Amino acid sequence: MLYANQSQTLNITIGQQYQGLLERVVFSSLIGMPCCLCLFINGIMLFTLRSKAVFCETSRYILLYNLLFADTVMLGLSELLYIMAVCRIFPTYPVCGVLTMLNRLTNEISPLTLVVMCLERYVAVCYPLRHATIITVRNTAVAIIVVWAFSSLNVLIRVLLLLNFLFDQPQSLQMTDVCSGTAMLLGPMSNIYDKAYTGFVFLSAGVAVTCSYVGVMVAARSASTDQASAHKARNTVLLHLMQLGLTLLSTMHDPIIVSLSTTLQRLLMVRIKSILYVFIYILPRCLSSLIYGLRDQTIRPVLMYYLCCRLSHLSKHI
């Protein structure tokens, strides 16, 4: 009788382990495939934006390249962290810190670049005669450097806060949980700074883009403004505003996870994290290439040419 109970308990345990493994495989496949597809499209888009001189000499295409480059690197790092979490790979805190800080750096480039892109459209509509002198390739490069410097400063502050956390024992450097941005919020100061910086970026970027949209709307009603150009710029800024809203959701990912983890069970929390990962991280980055690439009349034919060539090349090898 005792042997039968032990055998039944063993079968239940093996069944639960198999079900958990099967669930991880299904979730990994469903999440990994769209991420790989997005990385492929972004790679083609980045190649397209470097294929012609007009893309390298126009400010809005340079800014778009910077946006897509940051999104692509962030997607690659996020997918790496997700694979490590699924495979239950627990790195040391320094290794996890490097990966998560690089992920944060590229993640915060996107909203700041979108703000610069909105300001560029604002200048193009409200100051059309001075647009060529204000929005130059040199000034665009300076703006991109400022964006990266500001994001790097934020990462540096996070690193200093992380180093300020004193580990009790040498073996505590080894993580006991999956590597994520939430796991790097060591100590109360890191958590407070994360919330403060997230709120600052969310508010300042939203205000800047909204003001740009209002300025373009006011200029569109002016009789001296080219109505067709103003209407197109208004739609572009509105598109930037929507994209910014989706991108800024990723900055709210860690606070949402922290607040939910205190009330929900671990298994349910893992499923919610996977769903949030798709809709907060992957989806906005996939939309960037598709929306900006297919909408722009100059990029669209070149993008479709390279995309079709790569797909036909892959099909021949398959």
Side-chain angles (χ1 to χ4, degrees):
M1 186 66 180
L2 179 62
Y3 176 78
N5 292 334
Q6 291 178 348
S7 177
Q8 185 178 4
T9 303
L10 181 62
N11 291 335
I12 293 175
T13 303
I14 294 175
Q16 290 176 346
Q17 292 178 351
Y18 176 76
Q19 184 179 1
L21 178 62
L22 182 61
E23 183 177 350
R24 288 202 299 270
V25 171
V26 172
F27 263 98
S28 302
S29 302
L30 293 177
I31 293 175
M33 286 188 293
C35 185
C36 292
L37 179 62
C38 183
L39 287 172
F40 173 74
I41 295 175
N42 279 15
I44 298 296
M45 186 70 172
L46 290 173
F47 180 80
T48 301
L49 291 173
R50 282 294 177 267
S51 62
K52 292 185 177 294
V54 64
F55 298 141
C56 302
E57 299 172 356
T58 307
S59 294
R60 69 174 183 269
Y61 296 133
I62 297 174
L63 291 171
L64 179 59
Y65 182 89
N66 183 65
L67 175 69
L68 293 177
F69 175 78
D71 285 349
T72 304
V73 175
M74 196 278 293
L75 266 178
L77 290 172
S78 298
E79 185 64 14
L80 175 61
L81 291 173
Y82 182 79
I83 292 174
M84 291 173 60
V86 171
C87 298
R88 310 295 294 173
I89 299 175
F90 302 148
T92 60
Y93 276 103
V95 173
C96 181
V98 171
L99 294 176
T100 54
M101 292 306 167
L102 288 175
N103 191 31
R104 285 183 181 276
L105 174 64
T106 52
N107 183 39
E108 290 157 4
I109 293 295
S110 297
L112 299 179
T113 304
L114 284 169
V115 170
V116 178
M117 294 171 72
C118 290
L119 294 177
E120 185 272 331
R121 287 294 86 196
Y122 172 79
V123 174
V125 174
C126 299
Y127 304 98
L129 299 179
R130 300 176 58 187
H131 178 264
T133 58
I134 297 176
I135 309 298
T136 61
V137 175
R138 183 169 179 265
N139 291 341
T140 303
V142 171
I144 292 175
I145 292 173
V146 171
V147 166
W148 280 88
F150 182 79
S151 300
S152 300
L153 178 62
N154 167 56
V155 171
L156 178 61
I157 294 174
R158 292 179 184 273
V159 171
L160 293 177
L161 291 174
L162 184 62
L163 293 177
N164 191 41
F165 184 82
L166 299 177
F167 297 101
D168 296 331
Q169 298 177 353
Q171 58 264 29
S172 62
L173 289 174
Q174 179 63 44
M175 299 186 66
T176 58
D177 202 353
V178 296
C179 177
S180 64
T182 307
M184 286 292 101
L185 297 178
L186 301 175
M189 286 300 298
S190 296
N191 194 18
I192 293 172
Y193 176 78
D194 181 69
K195 292 180 180 179
Y197 181 82
T198 300
F200 171 75
V201 171
F202 198 99
L203 182 62
S204 57
V207 169
V209 176
T210 303
C211 291
S212 299
Y213 180 74
V214 172
V216 171
M217 286 286 292
V218 172
R221 296 182 179 181
S222 175
S224 59
T225 306
D226 184 3
Q227 296 298 317
S229 177
H231 180 73
K232 184 178 180 180
R234 183 190 63 186
N235 292 337
T236 302
V237 175
L238 182 60
L239 177 63
H240 291 338
L241 182 61
M242 295 173 58
Q243 183 68 15
L244 179 66
L246 292 173
T247 304
L248 286 176
L249 284 176
S250 61
T251 63
M252 301 295 294
H253 178 266
D254 288 345
I256 293 174
I257 294 299
V258 171
S259 60
L260 291 178
S261 60
T262 58
T263 57
L264 300 179
Q265 297 179 352
R266 181 177 178 84
L267 182 59
L268 181 60
M269 195 64 230
V270 170
R271 295 172 180 173
I272 292 177
K273 286 178 66 175
S274 300
I275 295 173
L276 290 178
Y277 172 70
V278 173
F279 286 97
I280 290 181
Y281 276 99
I282 296 181
L283 185 60
R285 271 68 189 185
C286 291
L287 291 177
S288 296
S289 295
L290 295 176
I291 291 176
Y292 294 114
L294 299 178
R295 185 174 180 271
D296 193 283
Q297 299 295 332
T298 307
I299 298 178
R300 185 194 303 170
V302 185
L303 175 63
M304 295 306 296
Y305 171 77
Y306 286 120
L307 191 60
C308 293
C309 286
R310 293 297 184 274
L311 290 176
S312 62
H313 182 72
L314 289 175
S315 63
K316 289 179 181 180
H317 282 75
I318 294 175

